[in-house]
Amino acid sequence: MSEAFDLAWLDLREPFDAFARSESLAAALLARLPARPRLIDLGAGTGSLLRWLAPRIGRAQAWTLVDSSAEMAEAAFDTIADRAELMGFPVTAPNKRTLLVHAPGGAWRIEGLVADLAESPANLPLHQADAVVSSALCDLVSRGWLERMAAALRIPFYAALCVDGREGFAPPHPADARVAAGFRRDQARDKGFGGRALGPRAPAVIAEVFAAQGFTVEAAPSDWAVRARGPVAHPTLRDSAGRFLTELVLGHAEAAGRQDRRGDARIEAWMDARLDQVAARRLAAWIGHRDVLALPPRR
């Protein structure tokens, strides 16, 4: 069973993810979809990728949201319905597993599937899909998991927000290298997908294993770049920037601490200093990501 994510964290990161994702790579995916596309969203969480991508598709579409948590699947339906109604889109629920969002360009049919992602793709309805998509998932999986996925697919595979190892905090701190090294080691521990997690190797490994199956692979940067005062061009994120940076600091310190067998006091000192900088609105951080799109040969 793969690791679960906290609902509050998923809600906090959603606008930063939306700002970071590559519009050009999403457009390349949309260009390969049929008139009424059917998408399988792996590790869908509360449906943030659907909320970003569905309006860009802009027509009738069907989604299968796959997650290992029944609680997450329920939260996804609730969140999608709430956000759709805020946008003025009527929502109906023909049954407990299906949600219909009546958007202007055509209805979005959304179904939930609770399944162990570690067993994918064997437990996925691939015969009913025109693309498999995910966000912030592929740096958690193993190489073997990706190889099985690539071997099973003859449809596009889109993996957004894969960490690529480029990251940093500013201003500099003497323990930055120590924390970063521990964080990178922690990224590679087994996350429940049958082997060491890919971590920052994910974009390169996706390209390698899908190219070996005859896919054409494209990638584009989708970095987080956050200041304690919030991105100037996006004032709607300003209020949550401090909370977002706090979670980044705590997450890095916790991960580095998990890998520290000597009880290095520098990690805690780093965390305390960074949290003080968040409070003083002096901290900035950037976390490098890549969006990756693998396209099969045209028939």
Side-chain angles (χ1 to χ4, degrees):
M1 180 68 69
S2 58
E3 291 191 344
F5 284 94
D6 180 78
L7 288 170
W9 166 241
L10 294 180
D11 184 60
L12 178 61
R13 67 175 285 171
E14 181 170 351
F16 295 91
D17 287 350
F19 178 50
R21 289 190 186 103
S22 168
E23 292 281 1
S24 62
L25 210 67
L29 168 64
L30 302 190
R32 290 291 296 268
L33 296 180
R36 187 185 183 276
R38 304 164 298 171
L39 301 97
I40 295 177
D41 186 358
L42 298 181
T46 64
S48 66
L49 181 56
L50 178 149
R51 288 188 288 277
W52 187 80
L53 196 56
R56 288 164 171 77
I57 295 173
R59 56 189 185 273
Q61 55 198 273
W63 288 73
T64 300
L65 305 185
V66 186
D67 207 281
S68 58
S69 164
E71 177 190 10
M72 196 69 74
E74 182 178 347
F77 271 37
D78 291 342
T79 307
I80 292 167
D82 290 346
R83 302 280 180 86
E85 289 171 350
L86 285 174
M87 297 172 68
F89 300 167
V91 176
T92 57
N95 55 63
K96 292 183 178 180
R97 291 185 61 251
T98 306
L99 195 69
L100 293 176
V101 175
H102 301 276
W108 309 346
R109 182 180 179 88
I110 303 158
E111 294 185 342
L113 174 61
V114 178
D116 187 349
L117 293 173
E119 300 298 324
S120 299
N123 56 0
L124 301 177
L126 295 179
H127 62 288
Q128 301 175 5
D130 300 303
V132 171
V133 301
S134 66
S135 185
L137 173 68
C138 283
D139 41 52
L140 306 178
V141 306
S142 66
R143 182 186 181 95
W145 187 93
L146 265 181
E147 288 175 340
R148 292 192 299 275
M149 185 66 67
L153 293 186
R154 297 297 180 268
I155 56 177
F157 180 79
Y158 168 77
L161 291 162
C162 303
V163 295
D164 64 6
R166 297 174 298 112
E167 65 168 57
F169 291 84
H173 186 279
D176 280 344
R178 175 71 176 177
V179 172
F183 184 73
R184 284 194 296 271
R185 286 195 299 272
D186 194 73
Q187 284 181 311
R189 65 184 171 84
D190 191 331
K191 303 298 198 305
F193 288 90
R196 288 171 59 84
L198 294 174
R201 298 185 297 122
V205 175
I206 293 171
E208 181 183 345
V209 301
F210 275 89
Q213 295 291 338
F215 284 67
T216 300
V217 183
E218 304 176 50
S222 53
D223 301 341
W224 286 339
V226 190
R227 298 194 300 274
R229 295 181 182 274
V232 174
H234 291 266
T236 56
L237 301 184
R238 188 170 296 131
D239 291 341
S240 57
R243 290 187 291 122
F244 188 76
L245 286 166
T246 295
E247 291 301 319
L248 287 182
V249 169
L250 294 175
H252 275 67
E254 179 183 1
R258 257 194 309 264
Q259 299 298 318
D260 174 37
R261 299 180 180 179
R262 300 180 180 179
D264 193 333
R266 289 177 293 177
I267 295 175
E268 185 171 356
W270 179 91
M271 179 184 71
D272 291 341
R274 293 307 194 191
L275 292 177
D276 287 344
Q277 289 166 347
V278 173
R281 305 180 73 181
R282 293 181 51 237
L283 186 65
W286 63 96
I287 309 292
H289 297 94
R290 304 282 286 178
D291 293 352
V292 186
L293 175 63
L295 296 172
R298 291 184 181 273
R299 296 180 180 177

